[in-house]
Amino acid sequence: MDTWKKVAIGAAAVIVVGGGTRAVGLWGGEKSAAKGTLNYSLPTDIQTLDISKNTDQYSNQIIGNSGSNLLRVDAKGKAIPDLAKSIKVSSDGLTYTAQLRSGLKWSDGSKLTAQDFVYSWQRIVDPKTASQYAYLASGVKNADEIVAGKEKVSKLGVTSKGNTVTFNLAHPMPHFEYLLTFSNFMPQKESFVAKQGKSYGTTSEKQLYSGPYTFKGWNGTNGTFELVKNKNYWDAKSVKTQTLTYQVVKKPETAVQLYKQGKLDEAPLTTELYSANKGSKDSVKVPEARTDYIEYNQTGTNKFLANTKIREALNLATNRAELVKEVTGGVSTAGIALVPTGLAKTASGKDLAQYVAPGYTYDKNKAAKLFAEGLKEIGETKATLTIEAASDQPANKVVVDYLQGSWQKDLPGLTINQKFVPFKQRLQDAQTQNFEILLTAWGGDYPEGSTFYDLFKNNGSYNDGKFINDAYTDAVNKAETKDALDQSDRDMDYKNAEAALFKNSNYSPLMFRAHYALQNSDVKGVVTNTTGLIQDFKYAYRK
């Protein structure tokens, strides 16, 4: 998922959050809220409740807690039955048969059926929906043909009969069970979607809910709202929290202040705030399966970035070790590949990121030489480029400042300008290639390499730079088809894909993110995932 988007199913690492020890008088503030209420914040506005169209982590936080899928990731990172009471997989890995629980209901009391799952899968691949996540269905029978407009939506290999949903795959998909936990494949009621039309998912009243909570109080633009226990959820007896209040708090300093006043149960810490609060027992390190990286516009509209030597020079002029020290105080780690450490392991047990790492290094002398050669190739003696980033995240400013200073110092003739826009605009600019250099991030949707390597396929919906790299695309396709059931070969395919990106300097990994947060130890049962639904509050409660 796009973090600051998404970072976003699965659980490469899963933590049941209890936080540190928080005494009543530790901060001089009051204890947080009543027993049946939890209080949390988001750092940026919700973008949508449209299940098929959502791509960002924070909208996903609401969708994932107010919705359910056939399976749900538990506290051990395993995909276990939720709306399905059982799922059977054929010996060849090509057929998944899900049996729904009896008596399932939507939040309005209407019947939730197997056909609601079929419709949701059909809707996400329908070209009319224009979902950026349609590619996740690739591997399901006829999905690619439907997305390309070459086959009818009704031909998708997802069908229902009675209380049973059947998935027919074109080839084995090792991560498929995690797609059955993913929020973008949660059921949707066709008659409700049709009735709402273009208003579907634009407010909390324009959505139905199938999960532990319903969503209340969001008019599409406001910054305070609630998750309220869904009495019609099949497992409502396990939901101990009656109300979970949310407010959008864009300044981390404000969130920390509200936490210390007992008005929030969690507050993320920037590097500066961590330094000021690291003595607190409430300070907890939160792992993420997220990579921050640079994208270059390679459509040809910018002649500098169309030049491979100039892109390679920018990559070589990036001191990633120094960057993470300056920006995160060493909490995060230097990026060595597209896939982050901690997401998955190879067949031999090695961390996938370590295995595929192609050798990104800092070499200012080689960088300056290549930059000069690149300029000469296009008949220029100097260049001006602009880095765009989301203004909603304070750390972005530090990253851009660092890159601007180091690149201008190491690459004579280069001028770097800065452009900061709201996260929503940053998403739009990425999708329309309205940028030169883009600071972005991706968090895994499930604990397998394809959640990252699908991003940059030729003509892929998240290949924002629109580069063509046949060697990369062929390697990823091989991993997902011919080698789908052979993990060792699949590992090598990902290694070859990473090498192809490195050779062409198509992007630049910056860092693998982690952060600290203040967490109230009175709150128990929150399942925190490094991929997909970052915080699952189904079992959460106040002690």
Side-chain angles (χ1 to χ4, degrees):
M1 229 167 235
D2 202 340
T3 65
W4 254 164
K5 223 183 189 176
K6 106 236 178 249
V7 157
I9 66 190
V14 179
I15 308 164
V16 180
V17 175
T21 301
R22 186 168 193 258
V24 178
L26 179 62
W27 299 109
E30 299 178 359
K31 272 278 192 178
S32 269
K35 208 165 188 180
T37 301
L38 302 179
N39 303 295
Y40 281 77
S41 67
L42 296 174
T44 189
D45 296 317
I46 296 174
Q47 306 300 312
T48 184
L49 296 178
D50 188 323
I51 288 172
S52 301
K53 294 183 178 181
N54 176 55
T55 63
D56 77 277
Q57 172 184 339
Y58 307 108
S59 301
N60 188 63
Q61 185 75 358
I62 301 301
I63 293 172
N65 279 288
S66 60
S68 280
N69 209 325
L70 295 168
L71 304 176
R72 198 174 195 93
V73 176
D74 70 4
K76 296 181 180 179
K78 302 296 183 182
I80 63 171
D82 191 353
L83 297 183
K85 66 179 181 181
S86 67
I87 291 184
K88 295 181 179 180
V89 186
S90 62
S91 58
D92 60 5
L94 295 179
T95 305
Y96 287 68
T97 305
Q99 187 72 29
L100 298 189
R101 299 180 188 277
S102 59
L104 294 176
K105 294 181 180 180
W106 287 102
S107 53
D108 66 352
S110 60
K111 186 176 181 180
L112 194 160
T113 70
Q115 182 58 31
D116 294 332
F117 288 92
V118 176
Y119 170 67
S120 193
W121 278 79
Q122 290 180 344
R123 185 170 183 262
I124 202 170
V125 298
D126 190 338
K128 294 179 181 177
T129 305
S131 170
Q132 282 190 277
Y133 262 147
Y135 74 88
L136 281 182
S138 180
V140 176
K141 187 177 179 181
N142 293 324
D144 291 341
E145 291 80 4
I146 294 167
V147 171
K150 298 177 180 179
E151 187 57 272
K152 296 179 180 178
V153 172
S154 60
K155 296 295 184 180
L156 184 67
V158 183
T159 56
S160 67
K161 184 177 181 180
N163 225 25
T164 301
V165 185
T166 302
F167 300 87
N168 292 304
L169 309 186
H171 56 77
M173 299 171 67
H175 60 281
F176 190 73
E177 68 173 354
Y178 284 103
L179 294 187
L180 302 184
T181 77
F182 196 39
S183 63
N184 292 75
F185 295 113
M186 287 176 172
Q188 297 176 77
K189 188 173 182 178
E190 184 173 8
S191 60
F192 183 86
V193 176
K195 181 179 179 181
Q196 302 305 323
K198 293 182 179 179
S199 296
Y200 173 65
T202 58
T203 73
S204 56
E205 300 301 315
K206 301 294 184 180
Q207 183 57 280
L208 286 181
Y209 305 100
S210 59
Y213 300 92
T214 62
F215 190 42
K216 303 287 186 181
W218 184 58
N219 65 16
T221 59
N222 61 313
T224 56
F225 26 78
E226 296 178 334
L227 288 169
V228 178
K229 181 176 177 177
N230 181 6
K231 64 180 181 181
N232 286 317
Y233 178 52
W234 75 272
D235 196 24
K237 66 181 184 300
S238 297
V239 182
K240 300 176 182 179
T241 295
Q242 295 296 320
T243 304
L244 200 156
T245 71
Y246 269 104
Q247 56 182 305
V248 175
V249 182
K250 297 185 178 182
K251 293 183 177 181
E253 297 84 358
T254 303
V256 169
Q257 183 179 14
L258 291 170
Y259 179 88
K260 292 179 179 181
Q261 292 170 353
K263 297 177 180 178
L264 286 179
D265 289 309
E266 183 182 69
L269 297 174
T270 61
T271 301
E272 295 77 11
L273 289 171
Y274 169 65
S275 298
N277 291 275
K278 61 184 179 182
S280 167
K281 293 181 180 180
D282 288 13
S283 180
V284 177
K285 189 172 184 179
V286 183
E288 303 177 47
R290 160 179 158 167
T291 303
D292 287 20
Y293 57 93
I294 287 292
E295 290 192 87
Y296 302 116
N297 188 324
Q298 293 160 71
T299 60
T301 58
N302 186 292
K303 63 181 179 180
F304 300 107
L305 296 174
N307 185 277
T308 304
K309 288 183 178 179
I310 290 178
R311 296 196 306 272
E312 185 178 358
L314 292 169
N315 285 3
L316 285 167
T318 303
N319 189 333
R320 296 168 182 83
E322 186 174 82
L323 172 64
V324 295
K325 182 179 180 181
E326 292 290 331
V327 175
T328 74
V331 174
S332 297
T333 56
I336 58 175
L338 179 59
V339 60
T341 54
L343 177 81
K345 291 187 179 299
T346 65
S348 65
K350 187 173 184 178
D351 187 275
L352 182 60
Q354 298 289 340
Y355 175 75
V356 303
Y360 285 95
T361 58
Y362 171 62
D363 188 333
K364 64 180 182 180
N365 294 327
K366 185 177 179 181
K369 180 176 180 293
L370 284 171
F371 186 68
E373 291 175 359
L375 289 177
K376 186 176 181 180
E377 286 179 359
I378 59 177
E380 297 287 350
T381 57
K382 56 184 179 180
T384 298
L385 296 169
T386 298
I387 304 178
E388 178 174 332
S391 59
D392 311 61
Q393 188 178 26
N396 283 348
K397 173 62 175 170
V398 186
V399 174
V400 173
D401 282 346
Y402 177 84
L403 292 175
Q404 180 187 47
S406 61
W407 285 353
Q408 289 182 160
K409 178 182 177 182
D410 291 345
L411 304 174
L414 176 63
T415 298
I416 294 293
N417 294 325
Q418 301 185 9
K419 179 181 179 182
F420 288 93
V421 298
F423 174 56
K424 185 173 184 178
Q425 182 64 46
R426 207 277 289 153
L427 287 178
Q428 183 178 334
D429 286 348
Q431 294 162 18
T432 59
Q433 289 68 58
N434 183 32
F435 68 92
E436 293 182 349
I437 300 175
L438 192 70
L439 174 61
T440 188
W442 188 262
D445 294 321
Y446 47 85
E448 201 275 330
S450 61
T451 187
F452 279 85
Y453 288 112
D454 271 342
L455 294 177
F456 293 150
K457 285 182 179 180
N458 294 348
N459 302 312
S461 57
Y462 285 103
N463 182 348
D464 300 319
K466 295 303 176 189
F467 60 83
I468 299 297
N469 189 325
D470 291 334
Y472 170 85
T473 300
D474 290 346
V476 177
N477 285 338
K478 187 167 179 277
E480 296 174 349
T481 54
K482 180 178 180 294
D483 297 335
L485 295 183
D486 188 323
Q487 186 180 349
S488 181
D489 286 350
R490 199 165 71 246
D491 294 336
M492 180 55 70
D493 293 333
Y494 291 145
K495 187 177 182 69
N496 291 336
E498 190 75 52
L501 292 177
F502 179 75
K503 179 180 179 181
N504 291 279
S505 301
N506 291 133
Y507 88 114
S508 178
L510 296 180
M511 70 183 80
F512 300 148
R513 281 282 185 177
H515 71 277
Y516 278 84
L518 296 175
Q519 293 178 349
N520 185 351
S521 63
D522 286 349
V523 176
K524 304 292 185 180
V526 182
V527 176
T528 300
N529 306 299
T530 61
T531 58
L533 180 57
I534 301 303
Q535 290 179 310
D536 187 347
F537 291 103
K538 175 178 175 177
Y539 300 106
Y541 65 96
R542 186 180 303 283
K543 184 175 67 176

